[in-house]
Amino acid sequence: AGNYSLALSGATVAQAIALDTDAKVASVSVVDSAANISGSINDLHGLGKKLQSASLSVAGVPLSLTHTQWVGKATTLNKITGGFTATVSGVVAAKAGSVVADTRVASVQVKDTYSNINNQLAALQGLGVQVSAIEQTTVGRLSMTASQWTSYTATLAKMSTSTDIQATQAGAELSITQALTASLADLAADSRVKTVGITDSAANVSASWAGLSSSSLVAAAGSSISLLNGAATPLALTAAQVAASASTLAKITNGSYSLQVSEAGASA
């Protein structure tokens, strides 16, 4: 009888939320699964000072949180005793590094525009397995050099496009620059590569001309060929190659270049 208050312990998340309106409950301590705590973190945060503490019923299972929750519900997360880890989703590319710097974060899922992801590719590559997925939210092609394309294999494998743009762009698309002629076959085999910028010596371009002129990747709008020392070293082609590959010759971006034409008939 009379006025009294309760300090309750061992409550599940659902019980703690239900007791929020009970004036006699002064405080409550929660013990529940990572899934239940993650799924109701907003409601737990709404308990304010009434939430005394929280702990995981099964240790070692990470909380699944959005970046907004990770930042906005920090005071509630700090009430979790016994330690915890979290996977954080919806992190913009530029903040991925600062989020994983918190030792409680097991991994992050990046979600950002193609432009922002492109600007942070090197940093995301450096974070390694701490980045579990990368979701592109706007249409556009990531631009990188051929050497980066080779180095970023693991990071590119994490790429996907959001449902909002999948009707226009089903997956990651790449524009590769500074590629040698020797890497053309490998680049063409990657369906994500939509354009290529070949940068190689006139000798190598000449030797690879048959492959270049027959490549649909080289023929794609936006692809180009740049001859190293193009003005000084002529491109060595047969007359038949010159006659049959006007569109490929048009891909050469050098301001001036010369041709050394062999096997030309007298009339030509």
Side-chain angles (χ1 to χ4, degrees):
N3 294 325
Y4 67 93
S5 61
L6 298 171
L8 301 180
S9 61
T12 65
V13 169
Q15 289 170 336
I17 294 169
L19 291 166
D20 186 29
T21 56
D22 191 329
K24 290 184 174 61
V25 177
S27 67
V28 61
S29 294
V30 168
V31 179
D32 211 333
S33 68
N36 289 341
I37 291 175
S38 302
S40 299
I41 192 67
N42 294 340
D43 293 322
L44 288 175
H45 188 72
L47 297 177
K49 293 181 179 179
K50 183 173 284 191
L51 179 64
Q52 189 69 23
S53 66
S55 60
L56 298 176
S57 56
V58 179
V61 180
L63 303 177
S64 297
L65 304 169
T66 67
H67 186 241
T68 300
Q69 291 170 331
W70 177 254
V71 174
K73 308 302 184 288
T75 54
T76 298
L77 294 171
N78 289 337
K79 293 179 181 179
I80 299 177
T81 59
F84 73 94
T85 59
T87 60
V88 184
S89 61
V91 181
V92 296
K95 292 188 176 180
S98 62
V99 174
V100 299
D102 190 318
T103 56
R104 297 175 298 178
V105 176
S107 65
V108 295
Q109 297 174 6
V110 171
K111 185 175 182 178
D112 211 337
T113 65
Y114 92 89
S115 178
N116 290 341
I117 291 171
N118 197 73
N119 291 338
Q120 297 294 325
L121 270 177
L124 295 175
Q125 169 74 8
L127 295 176
V129 295
Q130 288 179 295
V131 177
S132 61
I134 304 171
E135 183 179 339
Q136 181 178 322
T137 60
T138 58
V139 174
R141 293 173 182 169
L142 303 177
S143 179
M144 65 193 68
T145 66
S147 61
Q148 288 173 326
W149 172 78
T150 301
S151 300
Y152 293 175
T153 301
T155 298
L156 292 174
K158 302 170 186 177
M159 289 288 304
S160 66
T161 51
S162 66
T163 55
D164 292 338
I165 68 168
Q166 281 182 358
T168 304
Q169 185 174 329
E173 296 184 357
L174 311 177
S175 292
I176 306 300
T177 61
Q178 300 178 32
L180 297 174
T181 54
S183 64
L184 179 59
D186 289 336
L187 289 168
D190 186 341
S191 61
R192 298 168 300 184
V193 178
K194 303 303 181 183
T195 67
V196 63
I198 298 291
T199 302
D200 210 336
S201 66
N204 287 342
V205 171
S206 300
S208 304
W209 192 256
L212 292 169
S213 59
S214 63
S215 170
S216 58
L217 179 57
V218 173
S223 290
S224 63
I225 301 171
S226 177
L227 302 175
L228 298 175
N229 301 318
T233 305
L235 189 62
L237 302 176
T238 67
Q241 287 175 322
V242 173
S245 51
S247 59
T248 307
L249 287 168
K251 294 285 183 177
I252 300 176
T253 58
N254 298 69
S256 61
Y257 69 94
S258 59
L259 292 171
Q260 179 180 315
V261 183
S262 60
E263 301 179 19
S267 61

